[in-house]
Amino acid sequence: MIDPVIASRLQFAVTTIVHIIFPVMSMGLAPFLIYFTWKDIRTGEPIYEQLRRFWTKIFAISFVVGTVTGIVLEFEFGTNFAAFSTAAGELFGGPLAVEGMMAFMLEATFLGVFVFGRDRVGDKLYFISSIAVGLGTWLSAVWILIANSWMQTPRGYELATENGQTVVHLVDPMAAYFTPRFTYMYVHMQNAAVESVALFMAGVGAYYVFRHHVWGYPVENVDFWEATLKIGLIALLITAPLQVLHGDMYGRHVAETQPQKFAAMEAVWETESYVPEYIVAVPTSVDGFTDPRAKELFGIGIPGGASWLASGGDPTAEIRGLNDFETEAPPVAIVFWAFRAMVGLGFWFILLALWGGYRWYKGQLLEDGLLHKALMGSSLLGILAVELGWIVTEVGRQPWVIQGVMRTSEGVSPGLTGTEATITLVGFVGVYATLLGLYTYVVWRIIRNGPPGRDELRAVPDDTPTPGPGPSPSQSTPEAVDDD
Amino acid sequence: MTSVDSLAAGPLFGLPLPELWFGLIFTMLATFLFLDGFDFGAGAIFALLETDEERETVLAAIGPFWDGNEVWLVVFGGALFAAFPPAYAGLFSRHYLLMFAILGALILRGLAPEMYEQRHDAGWQRWWGRAFVAGSVLAPFLLGVFAGNWLVGSGRSLTLVGPVVGVTLTLLTVVSGAAFLQLKARERLPEAVTTYGTAATVGYLLAVVVTLAVLAVRLPEGVSALLDPVIIALVVASIGLAAGYVVALRREQSLRALGAAAVMTYGLVAVVAILMYPAIDPAAGATVRGTIVSTLPLNLMTIGASLLLPLVAVYFVVLYSAFSGPITPEEAY
């Protein structure tokens, strides 16, 4: 049987890593759905109804799976981390309760109206429900990240001993709940969600555009896929540079507030100044993968880059090495490589956005097969980058569950046995693999079936195949009409 | 600072906040058990329907609602965590495997309808139909097992009370489910739904008698705990409501029947809460006053809940009025 502490940590890792995919999809899709709903109501153009209905289906399945996997996380604080919940419940429970009442309720009720109610409610209430659903998903993240950011940079509390246990008491709610970290996390997470969905849209759109324009196969609703590609690309052009810009600010903030995590991100063991930032790091031995040490890596580094990042502009600044902290280092290899992969992906997304934007500007967006392939290959990489970022955040905080206050191993439920923890861990691996498989299958089917055809739309069916009077010249190409 | 100091000084308006929150978390639990209860009950009745159209009708009837209904469980868990952290931690960690079994049932119930709608071949739909029924029946049963164990403070061991309360609760969800389905899809479902509702009501009353008998043996105070006038009044009222429910269902006054089922659900949860008080986690000997968070966070949460819960009520009114009247199977997206 696996040790209950290890099993609980692995189980929490598995359940969060799977869960976060679904909120990323729903939070990222929310602004697009509000826009599609608005345009659909205002213009009545078929393309917007198609966009709204198609992406609502993906939103709905993401929300359902996100709900059932999200309840698991809320319960796991009690089942597996009872000591943490008892000690920190006063600070940590409040945001979760408010999240349920303020955000989740708003989202779940109006989702019913938004998904099923188009023919039952008027335009105004329907548009309001799209905003309520989007606002719900984004408010949810506010409260979850308030809770998480407090674990990263705790303040506004005091410690007391009650019945032989250390308990956290809330003394200054504003300080505790609105830490500077919260702002960094929220901006970084929400932008990442939109960027991930932008990549997903661009990739899916690129697939059909490639089939049609490069391979010359007939594709139904090709104008829909072209619009999807273009909308995804525009969103990527906005979000990709922003993500790297405030990611840099966020990194600096981590260096100031969680120096041990920062040292692990850079694999700096000895305290020193003028530390380079390795853009490309190649281990010189097998050990270099599992135990990276900045000094022993062969790589292309910016001299003083890490120091510059940590201090906000001073390449000679000192970085405190992992050996100079009282507690053991977090698992450096995971943090170091996850951070590098995430940053690498962040820059790749900018490149991809610029490439696509340039081709579009040149009028070659629909013909560049290599670009299409790159977009298809990158369609899930945004989600991967989110996962990597969370791994840096959570693994990098170890051995603490509340930075500097409580160790993760001290937070596990005292009565939990290895047998119980192993049973549920194995169960979750099986159930979540199935869940992920089914989710992928459903999303794949939605994509394969495509948007509702013109004849199924609510909008007055158009007898002639030419576009209506609306100004959408680029969206109905002659080829699109010839397909049918 | 001054406002924080005054919030930390004493309970808001001198109210008995620990007791109010104890009442509030059980109200949230009861709201979940009634609202998602009729979804569960609809899932159980789904098993007894034969044609494809009837089954699709059941899925369409609960489609817009179940997700919002289930959030009451999230809110219940969150409020228990926020107001009584040691009770939340103790209860959830001691019933470790049971909690995950409940989560498993909820996953199955939530996922199955989505999968059912994906493909229209018979094998696929038979499989996911069964999964939907299993999740819908197991979720209230296991929640009942949890509630029973919680009340009698059984710790980790299984007791007879658990399964008995589980069966009671499952039957009650079928009572609500029959009324809900009659309200939403009377024209499209067989008349037998009324019979199922009546049978479940009779079964429920018998289960309540068995539950009370088992509790009389198992509770430390024995029969005297049950001779509380409020509990006697609630039991008598439940019998009256059950009779009213059957009459209303037979006359096709579905909304009235559903209302009776709602009051029965709140009544059942109230009995549990009254028997438990002043303890909140009897197995650990933990009381409401002993596990409540300190004054400042309690006051903050009280303000938050008083502002947010009325809004939540508005959301539910909007949702249920948007989908008032019968629902057709075509409305499943």
Side-chain angles (χ1 to χ4, degrees):
Chain A
M1 290 299 127
I2 307 172
D3 170 63
V5 172
I6 308 269
S8 294
R9 294 173 68 175
L10 280 175
Q11 179 174 310
F12 204 87
V14 169
T15 48
T16 24
I17 283 173
V18 174
H19 171 71
I20 193 66
I21 296 169
F22 314 112
V24 165
M25 290 299 286
S26 49
M27 292 189 302
L29 275 170
F32 293 100
L33 285 179
I34 294 172
Y35 173 72
F36 296 154
T37 306
W38 170 252
K39 293 293 278 188
D40 177 24
I41 290 172
R42 286 307 293 258
T43 68
E45 281 174 38
I47 185 80
Y48 291 111
E49 186 182 342
Q50 286 177 314
L51 284 165
R52 171 178 67 75
R53 285 173 58 175
F54 178 85
W55 290 103
T56 298
K57 278 188 187 177
I58 293 187
F59 186 95
I61 183 72
S62 306
F63 184 79
V64 166
V65 186
T67 304
V68 294
T69 54
I71 301 177
V72 170
L73 295 183
E74 192 199 41
F75 277 38
E76 274 177 335
F77 293 118
T79 52
N80 292 72
F81 295 93
F84 162 76
S85 300
T86 306
E90 191 169 312
L91 262 114
F92 194 82
L96 292 195
V98 175
E99 188 256 351
M101 288 187 271
M102 183 190 273
F104 205 177
M105 282 291 190
L106 182 67
E107 186 182 3
T109 48
F110 282 94
L111 186 74
V113 180
F114 186 66
V115 172
F116 297 99
R118 188 63 192 100
D119 294 327
R120 280 191 173 251
V121 300
D123 287 352
K124 199 184 270 177
L125 181 55
Y126 191 74
F127 181 59
I128 290 172
S129 5
S130 75
I131 293 178
V133 169
L135 190 67
T137 64
W138 281 52
L139 279 175
S140 230
V142 167
W143 291 99
I144 296 301
L145 292 179
I146 280 177
N148 187 277
S149 60
W150 182 78
M151 294 162 77
Q152 309 288 343
T153 54
R155 59 179 207 180
Y157 69 95
E158 64 188 21
L159 294 176
T161 306
E162 283 165 19
N163 310 324
Q165 273 184 311
T166 306
V167 180
V168 174
H169 281 301
L170 177 66
V171 288
D172 185 348
M174 287 308 283
Y177 292 141
F178 298 97
T179 61
R181 175 61 64 90
F182 163 70
T183 315
Y184 287 108
M185 283 188 129
Y186 190 71
V187 173
H188 205 57
M189 179 68 203
Q190 302 311 99
N191 195 62
V194 178
E195 189 179 3
S196 301
V197 167
L199 282 159
F200 187 70
M201 289 176 111
V204 171
Y207 170 72
Y208 284 105
V209 168
F210 179 80
R211 276 183 70 87
H212 184 72
H213 290 284
V214 180
W215 276 358
Y217 290 141
V219 167
E220 271 179 70
N221 297 304
V222 75
D223 57 336
F224 170 86
W225 299 113
E226 288 168 11
T228 299
L229 168 62
K230 287 175 181 171
I231 292 164
L233 203 53
I234 292 171
L236 189 64
L237 272 162
I238 299 167
T239 51
L242 278 177
Q243 189 68 0
V244 169
L245 275 179
H246 58 69
D248 169 61
M249 289 155 66
Y250 183 5
R252 206 170 304 153
H253 174 73
V254 170
E256 283 165 19
T257 52
Q258 290 180 297
Q260 195 176 7
K261 182 190 280 181
F262 188 78
M265 283 155 64
E266 298 294 343
V268 175
W269 288 88
E270 306 299 334
T271 300
E272 57 193 323
S273 47
Y274 210 67
V275 180
E277 173 71 38
Y278 288 99
I279 303 294
V280 179
V282 182
T284 48
S285 65
V286 179
D287 288 348
F289 281 109
T290 54
D291 181 19
R293 284 161 190 270
K295 293 237 102 175
E296 297 162 15
L297 290 169
F298 173 79
I300 304 168
I302 303 172
S307 290
W308 187 85
L309 182 64
S311 61
D314 177 9
T316 62
E318 184 179 270
I319 293 182
R320 195 169 150 199
L322 289 164
N323 288 337
D324 290 326
F325 289 91
E326 283 167 28
T327 50
E328 70 272 22
V332 177
I334 298 176
V335 180
F336 178 82
W337 293 116
F339 180 62
R340 251 141 213 79
M342 177 194 72
V343 172
L345 286 171
F347 281 104
W348 163 243
F349 300 151
I350 295 181
L351 210 66
L352 201 57
L354 293 176
W355 180 8
Y358 177 74
R359 287 298 194 192
W360 192 356
Y361 173 73
K362 287 275 176 188
Q364 300 158 333
L365 179 64
L366 304 180
E367 284 80 37
D368 186 345
L370 190 62
L371 172 69
H372 300 157
K373 283 182 192 165
L375 286 169
M376 283 182 241
S378 304
S379 56
L380 299 178
L381 294 185
I383 292 169
L384 177 66
V386 171
E387 299 279 9
L388 292 166
W390 273 109
I391 286 170
V392 172
T393 304
E394 294 297 297
V395 179
R397 195 190 54 231
Q398 305 304 322
W400 304 102
V401 62
I402 308 167
Q403 180 78 45
V405 178
M406 186 184 214
R407 284 165 178 267
T408 311
S409 55
E410 296 164 347
V412 173
S413 307
L416 184 61
T417 65
T419 313
E420 285 174 327
T422 309
I423 291 174
T424 56
L425 172 63
V426 172
F428 269 113
V429 170
V431 170
Y432 274 36
T434 313
L435 201 66
L436 211 51
L438 289 170
Y439 174 77
T440 312
Y441 171 72
V442 171
V443 171
W444 175 77
R445 272 184 67 95
I446 294 171
I447 292 169
R448 203 195 54 182
N449 291 339
R454 292 281 157 108
D455 51 328
E456 300 167 41
L457 297 183
R458 301 174 78 243
V460 187
D462 215 339
D463 287 329
T464 52
T466 48
S472 61
S474 68
Q475 299 189 332
S476 190
T477 56
E479 299 98 297
V481 175
D482 291 341
D483 286 345
D484 302 340
Chain B
M1 265 319 275
T2 48
S3 63
V4 169
D5 286 342
S6 64
L7 278 175
L12 215 58
F13 308 121
L15 291 167
L17 291 183
E19 283 72 22
L20 285 177
W21 275 90
F22 180 75
L24 185 61
I25 59 163
F26 277 99
T27 309
M28 287 168 168
L29 181 63
T31 306
F32 166 70
L33 290 176
F34 168 62
L35 289 179
D36 218 13
F38 60 64
D39 303 326
F40 295 142
I45 293 170
F46 181 95
L48 303 167
L49 301 174
E50 276 153 24
T51 71
D52 194 39
E53 200 216 330
E54 288 166 359
R55 292 179 155 217
E56 295 273 0
T57 303
V58 170
L59 294 183
I62 67 166
F65 306 116
W66 75 264
D67 223 325
N69 296 344
E70 190 166 309
V71 178
W72 283 100
L73 180 66
V74 178
V75 170
F76 159 75
L80 182 64
F81 191 0
F84 306 99
Y88 161 81
L91 282 168
F92 280 42
S93 60
R94 252 181 288 111
H95 297 104
Y96 187 82
L97 292 177
L98 184 56
M99 296 323 278
F100 286 106
I102 294 171
L103 292 170
L106 289 174
I107 291 176
L108 210 53
R109 194 284 304 255
L111 199 64
E114 299 290 328
M115 301 312 296
Y116 188 93
E117 306 277 2
Q118 285 302 316
R119 275 173 34 186
H120 288 274
D121 57 283
W124 176 269
Q125 292 208 328
R126 196 177 325 118
W127 215 104
W128 285 109
R130 281 177 189 159
F132 176 56
V133 172
S136 302
V137 174
L138 278 175
F141 175 75
L142 294 170
L143 280 158
V145 173
F146 168 67
N149 279 0
W150 179 7
L151 174 60
V152 300
S154 71
R156 289 168 169 267
S157 57
L158 287 177
T159 62
L160 183 60
V161 182
V164 169
V165 177
V167 171
T168 310
L169 193 56
T170 310
L171 287 166
L172 184 55
T173 63
V174 180
V175 174
S176 308
F180 178 73
L181 287 181
Q182 197 191 54
L183 179 70
K184 285 289 155 197
R186 188 178 308 155
E187 312 287 310
R188 292 168 186 277
L189 292 177
E191 302 230 333
V193 169
T194 310
T195 317
Y196 303 148
T198 309
T201 310
V202 175
Y204 172 68
L205 288 179
L206 290 174
V208 167
V209 172
V210 177
T211 306
L212 291 174
V214 177
L215 282 178
V217 177
R218 188 64 169 73
L219 282 176
E221 307 86 21
V223 182
S224 63
L226 300 175
L227 294 178
D228 181 299
V230 181
I231 293 192
I232 294 173
L234 283 169
V235 173
V236 172
S238 281
I239 297 169
L241 283 162
Y245 167 90
V246 172
V247 172
L249 202 65
R250 297 205 163 256
R251 290 186 187 160
E252 299 199 339
Q253 294 165 329
S254 319
L255 201 56
R256 229 175 247 188
L258 194 60
V263 182
M264 281 157 74
T265 312
Y266 282 95
L268 181 70
V269 174
V271 168
V272 172
I274 291 166
L275 286 175
M276 194 182 298
Y277 186 81
I280 191 168
D281 183 4
T287 61
V288 170
R289 292 256 165 187
T291 51
I292 192 80
V293 287
S294 49
T295 312
L296 174 62
L298 189 61
N299 282 339
L300 286 175
M301 281 197 326
T302 308
I303 296 170
S306 352
L307 294 174
L308 293 170
L309 289 176
L311 279 178
V312 170
V314 173
Y315 307 158
F316 274 83
V317 169
V318 171
L319 175 66
Y320 281 85
S321 35
F323 293 91
S324 63
I327 286 186
T328 62
E330 291 75 37
E331 289 189 66
Y333 54 54

